[in-house]
Amino acid sequence: MIDVNRKGEVWIFAEQEAGQLSDVPLELLTKARELADTLKVPVGAMLLGSGVKSLAETLIARGADKVYLVDDAKLARYQNASYRTAICSLIEQFKPQICLYGATAMGRDLAPTVASAMKCGLTADCTDLQIGDHKPAGSEVNHENLLLQIRPAFGGNIIATIVNYDRWPQMATVREGVMPMSEAKPSRKGQVVACKGGLDALVLPLEVLESERREKKVNLKASRIIVAGGAGVGSRDNFKLIWDLAHCLGAAVGGSRAAVDLGYVDHDHQVGQTGTTVRPALYVACGISGAVQHRAGMQEAAKILAINTDREAPIFSIAHYGIVGDMNIVIPKMIKAIRGGASIEQAAKA
């Protein structure tokens, strides 16, 4: 734990593997820039690895004012012990007031152990971050300019706002895809701060001999059109209609958690609170009721077309276009109309 430091910077963890930055730190930089401008402090990025200095240019172009670089052979491959030690060393030395991590497999492994070592708080899986004030119940003290850490709770039925006014740094993991990524500005100037990281005496508990990474079967975040199915599709065989419509539109295939749990489609295709957050130009929701957990991952699509037999389904409350009907009848008609040259809007009316 560090002392409350209101002049401290806003930091993000620049997650990278094999010298490649993922999208998450670039998304975090957009939000960190917004928070730091409100607090009138600089944005910092923690860049850990071996031979990764060149990545600092990308981080600066995306909004970092300073890149704290720990370049060490012990950081060549991710291991919790070495990364935790380096991050704790940076925090103790520079005392940032906010540290943000992506809610990725690496971030979810790393951030809690940093919080435990620093004896500070951590809010997991945030969907929004803001700056605001807080007065604890029964207290006369108003804590100004705290990080408001916002996330769904109790199965998504409420939105909780969590604050940490005394056990700093304020730390949070943020779900992948919920923060928009800003455009790079190659002309931006920043500072690279080379740091030691306190790794000299560290003996790594593991020796990584080989690693293998399986790529996702689908890149939902990059898809302009997504056709998704839910439990209402009825069976894995019926889910073929979703694939057929997607192929017709040149779209990616998505699924609700219920569809994934029922085995209709692989987890790589899952959209929602426990899947991927997407912002396509068009989202076609077939047999999806629209539970809040699913809506949290797709409701920012530019256009939403919902097909469902239940006219009271919550998905219709956020849909721009709605069809009340059996998808087994509706989708073949849409495919026929689209192959005949109709637009998606014309096909929906057919």
Side-chain angles (χ1 to χ4, degrees):
M1 187 175 69
I2 61 172
D3 294 334
V4 172
N5 174 22
R6 297 196 177 278
K7 294 184 179 179
E9 299 169 355
V10 177
W11 281 11
I12 65 107
F13 170 60
E15 180 175 330
Q16 60 83 24
E17 285 190 270
Q20 298 291 323
L21 287 168
S22 64
D23 287 347
V24 182
L26 307 183
E27 295 167 3
L28 291 179
L29 276 173
T30 301
K31 175 54 74 171
R33 183 76 266 164
E34 177 187 321
L35 299 174
D37 288 345
T38 301
L39 295 169
K40 296 181 172 53
V41 298
V43 172
M46 299 176 280
L47 178 58
L48 281 56
S50 179
V52 295
K53 185 178 180 180
S54 61
L55 300 180
E57 292 181 10
T58 301
L59 296 169
I60 291 170
R62 294 283 183 170
D65 298 306
K66 298 178 182 178
V67 176
Y68 295 91
L69 172 66
V70 184
D71 197 318
D72 193 295
K74 292 177 181 175
L75 300 169
R77 287 178 170 170
Y78 173 74
Q79 289 198 45
N80 185 286
S82 54
Y83 274 63
R84 181 187 68 241
T85 300
I87 288 178
C88 289
S89 172
L90 292 176
I91 291 174
E92 289 170 346
Q93 187 175 352
F94 296 99
K95 301 184 179 356
Q97 60 176 302
I98 294 172
C99 293
L100 306 177
Y101 308 78
T104 60
M106 187 188 297
R108 284 170 171 158
D109 180 69
L110 177 62
T113 58
V114 173
S116 176
M118 297 301 302
K119 300 188 186 317
C120 62
L122 170 72
T123 301
D125 286 355
C126 291
T127 55
D128 194 10
L129 299 167
Q130 298 175 13
I131 299 296
D133 302 341
H134 174 70
K135 180 188 285 187
S139 172
E140 296 299 322
V141 179
N142 185 41
H143 300 275
E144 298 180 343
N145 291 331
L146 294 175
L147 179 66
L148 306 183
Q149 302 156 64
I150 301 164
R151 57 153 296 167
F154 294 102
N157 292 314
I158 65 169
I159 299 297
T161 299
I162 299 166
V163 298
N164 170 15
Y165 54 82
D166 57 354
R167 304 190 73 84
W168 283 24
Q170 304 162 93
M171 299 213 311
T173 64
V174 179
R175 292 188 54 229
E176 187 175 1
V178 300
M179 306 294 180
M181 190 189 307
S182 63
E183 294 292 327
K185 297 179 180 177
S187 60
R188 279 195 89 251
K189 301 296 181 185
Q191 180 183 3
V192 178
V193 183
C195 305
K196 288 293 187 184
L199 297 169
D200 291 345
L202 178 69
V203 178
L204 290 174
L206 298 173
E207 181 183 1
V208 181
L209 302 177
E210 185 179 359
S211 64
E212 184 174 342
R213 184 179 181 85
R214 182 182 70 84
E215 297 296 330
K216 282 189 173 182
K217 297 177 180 176
V218 59
N219 185 359
L220 290 173
K221 289 173 61 179
S223 301
R224 292 191 70 254
I225 305 175
I226 296 174
V227 180
V233 173
S235 70
R236 189 177 179 89
D237 289 340
N238 283 355
F239 211 87
K240 184 176 180 300
L241 280 174
I242 306 298
W243 288 97
D244 290 345
L245 180 57
H247 289 154
C248 187
L249 293 170
V253 170
S256 67
R257 177 172 178 174
V260 172
D261 289 347
L262 289 167
Y264 297 169
V265 67
D266 294 340
H267 181 267
D268 285 354
H269 296 266
Q270 185 173 322
V271 174
Q273 189 173 315
T274 52
T276 302
T277 299
V278 297
R279 293 184 177 83
L282 174 64
Y283 190 89
V284 184
C286 308
I288 294 175
S289 64
V292 65
Q293 296 91 335
H294 186 75
R295 299 203 308 266
M298 47 66 71
Q299 62 189 359
E300 294 194 24
K303 296 293 180 184
I304 298 170
L305 168 61
I307 305 171
N308 203 296
T309 55
D310 179 5
R311 64 176 61 251
E312 303 298 327
I315 192 70
F316 287 124
S317 67
I318 60 169
H320 301 87
Y321 306 98
I323 299 175
V324 179
D326 185 346
M327 54 159 273
N328 294 296
I329 298 173
V330 173
I331 290 181
K333 288 185 176 180
M334 290 180 65
I335 292 173
K336 183 178 179 181
I338 292 168
R339 286 177 175 162
S343 67
I344 184 69
E345 291 182 0
Q346 291 169 331
K349 291 175 181 176

